[in-house]
Amino acid sequence: MSEKDFQDENNHTEENLNEANSAEEISTEEQLQKQLDEANDKYARLFAEFDNYKKRTSREKVDLIQSAGKEVIAKLLPVLDDFDRALASMENSPSVESVKEGIDLVNNKFRKTLEQQGLKEMDVLGQPFDAEYQEAITTTPAPSEDLKNKVVDVLEKGYFLNDKVVRFAKVIIGQ
């Protein structure tokens, strides 16, 4: 083989290697582009799923609040019916005593229904004043020494709902 033939063949081999390297680079770029496209697609789907999740949980929260109110109202309807019956019986009843008994029964039923829903009345009369649960409206001279800085009268009862204050008690404190 002559030197010229050897160089021609050598040049031909280098061209083949360059073409192979170029094809390999294109293949690597295509793979990287494909991976990037897949990652972008995955990101877009994940973002859409999260957005849908936020919307769904927001709707569920609103539905839960509305249905919780519906539950309480449904449990209070029998008490409303009892009040209607009591009002109707007051018009026809000659005895005030039977009306008082009926109203007492309805009141007890109403309070029991509220207690079942988690409502609890604050017992503050005669207790030391506590600003976390009570609102002092005014002070008055204490009737006895042991009632100083204690609640001597309750103007408006306070209530807890599942151990959280729903309404503070409005009280008068002895000085």
Side-chain angles (χ1 to χ4, degrees), residues 10-141:
N10 198 14
N11 286 341
H12 187 45
T13 306
E14 284 181 19
E15 286 176 13
N16 286 342
L17 283 174
N18 285 340
E19 286 177 15
N21 285 341
S22 178
E24 197 174 291
E25 285 177 14
I26 291 173
S27 174
T28 304
E29 283 182 27
E30 287 175 358
Q31 286 177 341
L32 289 175
Q33 186 61 41
K34 185 177 177 182
Q35 287 175 345
L36 179 63
D37 290 344
E38 287 174 4
N40 284 339
D41 184 55
K42 197 174 189 180
Y43 170 76
R45 290 177 189 274
L46 189 61
F47 186 79
E49 280 182 40
F50 182 69
D51 193 44
N52 290 339
Y53 167 77
K54 286 193 323 188
K55 290 176 184 174
R56 185 179 68 246
T57 54
S58 178
R59 278 192 309 268
E60 287 172 355
K61 191 177 189 181
V62 169
D63 289 346
L64 181 65
I65 290 169
Q66 288 175 346
S67 66
K70 180 181 175 182
E71 235 178 81
V72 171
I73 296 297
K75 290 181 180 182
L76 290 176
L77 287 177
V79 177
L80 185 63
D81 294 338
D82 289 345
F83 271 121
D84 289 340
R85 284 190 282 277
L87 289 172
S89 90
M90 276 181 14
E91 292 177 12
N92 302 329
S93 178
S95 168
V96 174
E97 206 52 44
S98 64
V99 172
K100 283 183 182 180
E101 280 182 39
I103 296 296
D104 256 355
L105 289 172
V106 173
N107 181 42
N108 291 336
K109 185 175 185 178
F110 181 64
R111 289 181 182 280
K112 193 176 286 186
T113 302
L114 290 175
E115 283 175 15
Q116 290 171 348
Q117 295 303 308
L119 190 71
K120 186 175 142 190
E121 189 177 301
M122 287 183 192
D123 182 27
V124 296
L125 195 59
Q127 301 293 321
F129 176 72
D130 186 353
E132 287 191 39
Y133 302 112
Q134 303 155 6
E135 182 180 332
I137 300 300
T138 189
T139 59
T140 188

